[in-house]
């Protein structure tokens, strides 16, 4: 049960086991399964032959000491365990906060207790759904009982196998998934959890590993990798493996955690097969911070070897672009601001990107990010000097392209720059080059779809929009909106009408009046005049001064201005003023 829940035995002493888990949820699940298994086993055993475990669970800072763990986090867990009833489980408040409302267990607040060698009282909670357990039993075990533990553990595992027909957890059925399961392999890399009070300072380590592993995996075009934005959006929802896999329509999930103590790192990762209900792999990496980049590469290879059932060429999967952890941190902070698309966030992002490049001038991802902020300043009219901004974008993106001419993300961002420069044919060429090797990366595919649409190739863009949506199951509003616009540009009005409900469901309220004009055009073109007028009437109620002139800023990215002009002509017929 420990292995099946991603745990690791850190130490054994006397009649005790010290076990660490990647998450509080996995620790509690394991504890409940063990206690329920022991209760079932003890049912047919004479009273004087029964064995009862006490379990205490705490979440706190620990200090690695070889394979062992030290520190207050361990001490509190040990003291809580000593207070647990035989056959019972006690949780510290920090664990209760992590698992509350996320597991189907009842918790009883036992209040604060004084524990040996801990100056402050500890608030504890008893897991109250273990079934029928004895109220009292001596904790003193004989040496022979301790030696029998391995056999007992085997019996527990056998019972669990019998209960679940050979699975480690309840699998998800493909027909229950919200999206169709692909024929080939599919995976979601969930955001790694940072464990420790210093998350503000070092949380980038956890975020960076999950993002880079995601990028690495996306290099295999036949592997469907869920977009990092979708995985991140479910981080705090407390969903179990079945629920996440069912929502994303994927077979495999990768989960993990990161801890840092001084210059030492501990990274835990586990790979699960949600369809088979199996834990395929788990490992804990104890390294110095110098080994941070090696860890993410090793995780990627371990995942792919199990997904594909063989050895993978690691050379073509290495996404490492810097060996400087400080530069990596600054780049991660820059990216977190860049994706917010505001003028102020662009300025802050540039500060972090420049700090990264000061440490590593050839850091390609930082060069691309910095160049993109200047291009988007022009695209969104943030720049006071568009010519200078475009020159800077060209400078940084050209340097990135020079360092790595085939990198899909660089090509995709270069395509965006060419679009902003109104060089449509070049934008299309760069976008299609990015798609050749970046078809597995959701960010690249979304960028290709967007560029093709505004470069006048809406027919081509629809294929990429469809793939981008499948890879981004938690919708990004602009992705849905741009695909809808591409359907209108391509003249597929029936498809646009069918997509109208999904389109209007994601449109931000601040832009709803303007975007209501799009389904009005689709309805008019499909011969549904009354429906078209109803959309225009609603738009006018929301924004009485709406006009064709107020719509033009939404269409500034078009190279071929005849496309929006076709919509404007319909809107004039529907009574919208110029």
């Amino acid at each position: 049960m420990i292995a099946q829940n991603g745990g690791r035995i850190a130490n054994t002493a006397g009649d005790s086991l010290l076990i660490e888990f990647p998450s509080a949820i996995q620790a509690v699940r394991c504890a409940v399964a063990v206690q329920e298994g022991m209760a079932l086993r003890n049912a047919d055993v004479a009273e004087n032959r029964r064995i009862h475990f006490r379990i205490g669970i705490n979440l706190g800072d620990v200090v690695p000491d070889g394979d062992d763990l030290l520190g207050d986090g361990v001490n509190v867990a040990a003291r809580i365990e000593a207070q647990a009833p035989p056959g019972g489980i006690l949780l510290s408040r920090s664990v209760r906060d992590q698992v509350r409302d996320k597991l189907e267990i009842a918790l009883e607040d036992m209040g604060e207790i004084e524990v040996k060698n801990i100056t402050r009282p500890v608030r504890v909670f008893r897991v109250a759904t273990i079934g029928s357990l004895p109220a009292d039993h001596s904790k003193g075990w004989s040496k022979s009982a301790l030696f029998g533990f391995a056999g007992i553990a085997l019996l527990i595992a056998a019972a669990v196998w019998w209960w679940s027909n050979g699975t480690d957890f309840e699998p998800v059925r493909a027909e229950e998934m919200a999206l169709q399961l692909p024929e080939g392999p599919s995976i979601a890399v969930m955001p790694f959890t940072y464990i420790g009070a210093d998350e503000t300072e070092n949380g980038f380590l956890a975020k960076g590993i999950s993002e880079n592993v995601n990028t690495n995996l996306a290099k295999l075009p036949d592997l469907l990798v869920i977009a990092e934005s979708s995985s991140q959006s479910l981080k705090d929802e407390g969903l179990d493996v079945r629920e996440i896999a069912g929502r994303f329509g994927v077979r495999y999930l990768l989960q993990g955690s990161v801890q840092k103590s001084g210059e030492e790192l501990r990274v835990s990762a586990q790979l699960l097969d949600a369809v088979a209900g199996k834990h395929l792999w788990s490992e804990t990496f104890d390294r110095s911070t110098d080994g941070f980049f090696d860890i993410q590469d090793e995780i990627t290879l371990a995942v792919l070897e199990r997904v594909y059932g063989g050895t993978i060429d690691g050379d073509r999967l290495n996404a490492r672009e810097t060996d400087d952890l400080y530069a990596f941190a600054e780049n991660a902070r820059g990216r977190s601001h860049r994706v917010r698309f505001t003028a102020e966030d662009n300025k802050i992002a540039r500060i972090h990107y420049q700090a990264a490049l000061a440490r590593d001038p050839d850091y390609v991802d930082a060069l691309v990010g910095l160049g993109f902020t200047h291009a988007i300043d022009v695209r969104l009219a943030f720049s006071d000097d568009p010519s200078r901004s475009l020159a800077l974008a060209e400078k940084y993106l050209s340097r990135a392209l020079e360092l790595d001419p085939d990198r899909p993300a660089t090509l995709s961002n270069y395509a965006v720059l060419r679009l902003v420069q109104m060089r449509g044919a070049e934008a299309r060429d760069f976008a299609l080059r990015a798609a050749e090797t970046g078809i597995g990366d959701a960010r690249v595919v979304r960028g290709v779809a967007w560029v093709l649409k505004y470069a006048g190739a809406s027919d081509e863009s629809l294929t990429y929009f469809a793939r981008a949506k499948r890879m981004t199951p938690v919708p990004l509003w602009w992705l849905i909106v741009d695909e809808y616009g591409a359907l209108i540009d391509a003249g597929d009005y029936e498809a646009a009408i069918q997509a109208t409900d999904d389109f209007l469901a994601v449109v931000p309220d601040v832009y709803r009046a303007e975007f209501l004009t799009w389904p009005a055009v689709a309805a008019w073109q499909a011969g549904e005049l009354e429906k078209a007028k109803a959309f225009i009437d609603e738009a006018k109620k929301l924004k009485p001064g709406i006009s064709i002139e107020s719509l033009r800023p939404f269409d500034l990215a078009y190279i071929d201005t005849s496309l929006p002009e076709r919509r404007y002509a319909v809107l004039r017929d529907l009574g919208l003023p110029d």
Side-chain angles (χ1 to χ4, degrees), residues 101-121:
D101 302 325
K102 298 178 182 178
L103 294 176
E104 293 182 1
I105 56 174
L107 295 175
E108 179 183 354
D109 189 344
M110 306 300 290
E112 293 185 337
I113 61 172
E114 299 289 338
V115 293
K116 184 179 178 182
N117 295 334
I118 302 294
T119 56
R120 64 192 182 284

Side-chain angles (χ1 to χ4, degrees), residues 121-153:
V122 177
R123 189 171 180 181
V124 296
F125 298 80
R126 184 176 71 88
V127 178
T129 54
I130 305 299
S132 179
L133 297 172
D136 186 39
H137 193 275
S138 172
K139 192 178 181 222
W141 293 349
S142 68
K143 189 173 182 180
S144 61
L146 177 61
F147 284 135
F149 177 79
I152 295 167

